[in-house]
Amino acid sequence: MTELLDITKISENIYNIACDTFQKDILYFLWNRFIKSTNDSITDIQNDSKINQRVSEKTKELCLENKSLKSNLETQEKDNSEKENKILGYQEQINILREQSSLSITEAVNNNNEAKEEIINLLKDNINQLNDNINELKSDHKNELTEYKLELSEIKKESSTKSSYATGLIGEQRLLELLREDTEFTVKDTHGTSHMGDAEILYNDFKICIDAKQYKTTCPHKESTKLMEDVEKHDYDGGVLISWDSGIYDPQTSSKIKDILFNKNINGKPYLFISFATTIPDSLILKSIKDLYDNKLNSESLNIIQNNEKLKEEFSSMIVTELKELDGSDKNHKIKLRRNDERRKHLNSILKEYNLSSCNKSSSNNSIVTEITSLLSEVKQDYVSQRNTAQDIKQYIEAYCDKNNKKIKNISISDLKLALNELNIMSENKHGKNYLNKVKKKSTVTWTIELSPEFLN
């Protein structure tokens, strides 16, 4: 039979052992060490139990997690195998499609080549047929071409004689239109009657013979002497010779007259010679013709030099007056342009501020229209005798800018018309000549603007 060992009792009794102090300390040390080791052993045993318990729990958790991972892995392997099977199926389909497409491409190329060959052969046949037709036409019309050349040479000869006649008619028509503008003249058209000039006018019972010429070079001496003969033959009171685009020879000295407006008394009768008439205002031409009446009254005491000097003074005064009017017009126009520019800037700033620029599609054209308006103000003349189309004006501005080294954007007809409207230049279907002296028919839309060819010379 086992017995229980009571440590407490032993500890109580052990301290009753008779010993000295040193022995007592040793026994006390050994006993405490024994007790401590015993307590530590008990703690280790308790810790081992807890560790084993924790290991068991963690092992169960890891086993469950391992089973889950193993299940997921098996599922992924199944998915991968299915995807591999699909990939193999797709590869087989691709191979089949490649084989089919290669066959169709080969077939299409062959068909295309066959079609090309057919077209080429057809074109060759057509070319050969056309060459045959051309050769036939050449052989058939060779003789006709020779006949046409002969007829053309004859026509050129006839047109050379007719052109001078037609040019003369243009000058005469222009003269009659000018004279009929003045209500104080009684005008009679005499261009069809020999030795009577192109027109006869009656002004205050003063009968004048007027002849107009359209020469590009100096009006020949025979024309001025012919005017003298016509005046003497029909007993006119005076004579006027107008050369629209050239100078005139003096009928007495056979020298070229230097003055644009030149008065001369011949055989007691006053004569007026007007050179480059297109370059001076119509009003001055009409006034100079009327002045012949005063020359008749003073024919006995007429001093040619003084009269021409007076005419020069009047011409100069008229030019100065016209220049002042032009300066005033330009000043008003510049003020208007400046105000328009300020207004335009203000309106554009409003558009920009409220993001309304897309609503005004024509705003980009304002600058070019303003530029065209400024150019037209530079070149246009106050008097108006020309009829220029929009295309004529466009060509004139481009030539003017090119000559004066002015840069301008491409001018559109629509922008040009806007500029013309800003200058209050009107258009209508009216007969007349442009700045190049080319006749514009009444059915053509033309603009009442005078453009001086001198700006382009």
Side-chain angles (χ1 to χ4, degrees):
M1 182 176 179
T2 57
E3 294 180 359
L4 293 173
L5 177 62
D6 190 354
I7 300 299
T8 306
K9 291 181 178 181
I10 294 172
S11 63
E12 290 176 356
N13 294 327
I14 200 167
Y15 280 99
N16 295 326
I17 299 172
C19 57
D20 57 20
T21 304
F22 178 72
Q23 290 175 341
K24 182 181 177 180
D25 291 336
I26 291 172
L27 290 173
Y28 182 75
F29 171 75
L30 292 173
W31 178 249
N32 285 334
R33 190 169 184 181
F34 171 74
I35 293 301
K36 185 177 182 303
S37 62
T38 302
N39 291 335
D40 290 342
S41 297
I42 292 169
T43 301
D44 289 341
I45 291 169
Q46 290 175 349
N47 289 337
D48 285 343
S49 175
K50 290 182 179 180
I51 288 169
N52 290 332
Q53 184 180 356
R54 183 61 181 161
V55 167
S56 176
E57 292 174 357
K58 195 66 177 176
T59 301
K60 288 181 181 179
E61 291 178 4
L62 292 173
C63 287
L64 292 173
E65 185 177 354
N66 189 28
K67 285 181 180 179
S68 177
L69 291 172
K70 188 176 180 180
S71 177
N72 291 335
L73 182 61
E74 290 176 353
T75 302
Q76 288 180 358
E77 287 179 351
K78 288 181 181 179
D79 291 341
N80 291 335
S81 63
E82 290 177 358
K83 290 178 180 178
E84 288 178 355
N85 292 331
K86 286 182 179 180
I87 290 170
L88 293 173
Y90 289 148
Q91 287 179 346
E92 290 179 358
Q93 291 179 6
I94 289 170
N95 293 331
I96 292 169
L97 290 173
R98 280 178 179 171
E99 292 177 358
Q100 292 177 352
S101 62
S102 63
L103 292 173
S104 61
I105 289 170
T106 304
E107 185 177 355
V109 170
N110 293 332
N111 292 334
N112 190 25
N113 290 334
E114 291 177 359
K116 282 183 178 179
E117 289 180 359
E118 290 179 0
I119 293 172
I120 290 170
N121 292 329
L122 181 61
L123 290 173
K124 285 181 178 179
D125 293 339
N126 290 337
I127 290 170
N128 292 331
Q129 186 175 358
L130 288 172
N131 288 331
D132 294 338
N133 292 337
I134 289 170
N135 292 329
E136 290 178 3
L137 289 172
K138 284 181 178 180
S139 60
D140 290 341
H141 297 290
K142 189 174 182 180
N143 295 330
E144 293 181 7
L145 183 62
T146 304
E147 293 176 1
Y148 288 149
K149 286 181 179 179
L150 294 173
E151 291 179 3
L152 182 61
S153 62
E154 293 177 0
I155 291 171
K156 284 182 178 179
K157 291 179 182 178
E158 293 178 0
S159 63
S160 63
T161 57
K162 289 181 180 180
S163 60
S164 59
Y165 176 73
T167 303
L169 288 179
I170 294 172
E172 295 160 5
Q173 183 64 30
R174 185 170 185 174
L175 172 65
L176 292 172
E177 290 177 359
L178 173 64
L179 296 175
R180 285 167 180 163
E181 288 180 2
D182 197 310
T183 56
E184 295 183 29
F185 289 155
T186 301
V187 183
K188 180 180 179 182
D189 183 2
T190 58
H191 78 276
T193 307
S194 60
H195 301 289
M196 292 190 70
D198 294 327
E200 175 189 300
I201 64 170
L202 189 65
Y203 173 68
N204 292 337
D205 296 329
F206 186 69
K207 193 164 60 173
I208 305 171
C209 176
I210 302 180
D211 208 356
K213 300 300 175 185
Q214 192 82 37
Y215 287 100
K216 292 183 178 180
T217 57
T218 305
C219 185
H221 178 263
K222 65 178 182 179
E223 299 292 352
S224 54
T225 55
K226 178 178 175 297
L227 175 67
M228 290 174 53
E229 294 172 358
D230 294 345
V231 170
E232 294 298 331
K233 184 173 182 179
H234 295 281
D235 197 22
Y236 285 110
D237 298 317
V240 178
L241 178 60
I242 299 175
S243 180
W244 294 109
D245 300 304
S246 65
I248 301 174
Y249 283 111
D250 190 310
Q252 292 181 313
T253 63
S254 299
S255 60
K256 187 176 179 181
I257 298 173
K258 295 181 180 180
D259 298 326
I260 293 178
L261 294 167
F262 182 75
N263 280 83
K264 192 166 188 177
N265 192 319
I266 303 174
N267 298 328
K269 293 183 178 181
Y271 287 83
L272 172 64
F273 300 93
I274 304 177
S275 303
F276 300 99
T278 55
T279 62
I280 61 177
D282 292 345
S283 59
L284 183 58
I285 295 175
L286 296 173
K287 183 180 183 304
S288 301
I289 294 173
K290 291 178 180 179
D291 286 344
L292 288 180
Y293 177 74
D294 296 330
N295 294 343
K296 178 193 176 186
L297 297 178
N298 302 313
S299 59
E300 295 180 358
S301 60
L302 178 64
N303 188 319
I304 298 173
I305 297 176
Q306 290 180 352
N307 188 64
N308 285 326
E309 290 297 327
K310 180 182 176 182
L311 201 57
K312 287 180 183 178
E313 290 177 2
E314 292 178 354
F315 191 17
S316 176
S317 176
M318 186 174 292
I319 290 175
V320 170
T321 302
E322 188 172 340
L323 287 173
K324 288 181 180 179
E325 292 176 356
L326 287 173
D327 290 339
S329 176
D330 289 344
K331 185 177 180 180
N332 293 333
H333 183 64
K334 287 177 181 178
I335 293 172
K336 184 178 179 182
L337 284 178
R338 179 174 56 78
R339 291 176 179 172
N340 288 342
D341 287 338
E342 292 174 355
R343 180 63 177 164
R344 190 176 292 111
K345 288 178 182 178
H346 177 65
L347 294 175
N348 285 331
S349 64
I350 294 174
L351 289 175
K352 187 176 181 181
E353 181 179 357
Y354 293 97
N355 195 21
L356 299 173
S357 58
S358 60
C359 300
N360 188 12
K361 296 181 180 178
S362 62
S363 60
S364 60
N365 294 332
N366 286 335
S367 60
I368 183 64
V369 172
T370 303
E371 193 172 357
I372 296 171
T373 303
S374 178
L375 286 170
L376 289 173
S377 299
E378 288 183 24
V379 300
K380 76 181 185 69
Q381 309 296 311
D382 280 350
Y383 56 93
V384 177
S385 63
Q386 298 174 1
R387 301 300 306 181
N388 291 290
T389 64
Q391 188 64 32
D392 292 335
I393 302 170
K394 179 177 181 293
Q395 291 175 354
Y396 184 93
I397 293 176
E398 289 173 347
Y400 177 77
C401 291
D402 184 58
K403 179 174 177 57
N404 293 278
N405 296 322
K406 293 189 176 185
K407 294 182 179 179
I408 189 171
K409 298 177 182 177
N410 291 331
I411 301 174
S412 66
I413 296 298
S414 59
D415 290 339
L416 177 61
K417 289 181 179 179
L418 289 173
L420 290 166
N421 289 330
E422 283 194 9
L423 293 172
N424 295 321
I425 298 174
M426 307 303 294
S427 64
E428 58 181 321
N429 299 77
K430 188 175 179 181
H431 172 82
K433 290 190 294 183
N434 67 357
Y435 72 96
L436 295 174
N437 282 330
K438 292 183 179 179
V439 178
K440 299 298 178 181
K441 297 180 179 179
K442 191 174 182 180
S443 59
T444 305
V445 178
T446 55
W447 300 78
T448 56
I449 182 171
E450 187 84 8
L451 303 172
S452 176
E454 290 185 352
F455 290 150
L456 305 182
N457 295 333

